[in-house]
Amino acid sequence: MELAEQVLAGNRRALARLISFVEDDDLAARDALALLYPHTGRAHVVGVTGAPGTGKSTLVNVLAKTLRGRDLTVGVVAVDPTSPFTGGALLGDRVRMRDLAGDPGVFIRSMASRGSLGGLALATGAVVQVLDAAGFDVVLVETVGVGQAEVDIARTAHTTIVIEAPGLGDEVQALKAGLMEIADILVVNKADRPEAARTARALEVTLGLGWGHADNGAWRPLVLKTVALDGTGVPELMDALFSHRAYLQESGLLRQRERERVRGDLMHLLERDLVARLIARVGEPALDDWVRRIVEREADLYAAVQALLEA
Amino acid sequence: MSKRLRILVAKPGLDGHDRGAKVVARALRDAGMEVIYTGLRQTPEMIVEAALQEDVDGVGLSILSGAHMTLVPRVLQGLRDAGLDRVGVFVGGIVPDEDVPVLKEQGVAAIFGPGASTDVIVETVRQVLGEA
């Protein structure tokens, strides 16, 4: 039986194998992804992002447990950084997810970022599609610990949860562009700490500045407080998740976001293949020669690009 | 992108001393491998399940409690039952000399005692998993 058929039949070993092929960009993966594609589009994809140590893995763990309590199956993709020096990675998110062991309704996969800088690995989107096709109702995607501008998750996820820890900054931090803007739900985790109320208030004030009094039916990001370790605030977070899902469906945004995502993916693959084709045509030596000439100030970057494109 | 070695590092059983496991995980990471670290107090069933989901090439077990003759065979059997025969199994920790041949007979690829250098561990893992 084809790998893709085995995945559709619920074979977890085949699922794990296929994810590896997808990660390695193996040719076998492309055929399987093509076969699986008609079966995608059913899962709700939830992104969980935030700075290192804010509690992403712990929150993913408790979210998955709560979703299982509502009879929904859960796929988890947890991304950790690859070393830029050795190419190795230490993937440690499972440490906080031991509660999920032994549940056939859960599948957890750790992924190394493999040089990608936007908080996800290049192949994360395709791995999410595989889990979607395999029939998981919800796919939770945990990004690497991020700073301010790693926002790839917003394109992959339907609902993006941004986690903040208490006391990490004032209102000005919350005003900055980037991470804060992609939140559909903002969670102040570790809310048992004294600074939590102030942090939540600062976030709410900042959001309020952007919203004024207008009520145009758009989604207003929610600010919630949780203690992921003991589950405080998680039922409210679950409600927020479901109301965001409903909002996306009713407003037509679900479709619109999918169009944007597909367009982005299409452009990305086109760029990659076009560049590969161009390099195959002109050859690495010619490329190296242009690099040498630019360094020697015999030519400039723009002239090189023009010449290579016309070669 | 070419295939990268993926290794699960796990501590089965009840002893709570994971320094060795962390040192080895770090050394394998620095050797360019993708190391999935699962932490303390894993049952053999949890280890097998994680190995399956993560599609690893090898599993490293750190055992200091003396329970290796019970825990290791259960992991080996579990891997076989799950169809993961080709996954290489390594054991680190306190394993008396007389137990070494028994465990190897059962399918353990290599056993590292106290004082084993991380260089030797990395090289052995690479060789066993076919990436010398």
Side-chain angles (χ1 to χ4, degrees), chain A residues 17 20 91 94 98 110 114, chain B residues 34-35 40 49 54-55:
Chain A
R17 289 297 298 143
S20 295
L91 314 175
R94 291 188 88 97
R98 34 179 307 139
S110 313
R114 296 195 181 177
Chain B
E34 291 183 352
V35 181
L40 293 167
E49 188 190 7
E54 300 288 356
D55 190 34

Side-chain angles (χ1 to χ4, degrees), chain A residues 36-103:
Chain A
L36 291 179
Y37 191 68
H39 300 273
T40 61
R42 283 181 282 208
H44 190 66
V45 183
V46 179
V48 178
T49 191
T54 45
K56 293 182 293 298
S57 302
T58 310
L59 195 76
V60 165
N61 178 54
V62 69
L63 273 176
K65 260 201 308 190
T66 313
L67 288 162
R68 290 297 295 136
R70 299 195 185 189
D71 245 357
L72 294 165
T73 56
V74 184
V76 175
V77 184
V79 188
D80 266 329
T82 293
S83 160
F85 303 109
T86 66
L90 197 125
L91 314 175
D93 292 321
R94 291 188 88 97
V95 173
R96 319 244 176 258
M97 300 180 192
R98 34 179 307 139
D99 297 354
L100 306 173
D103 182 346

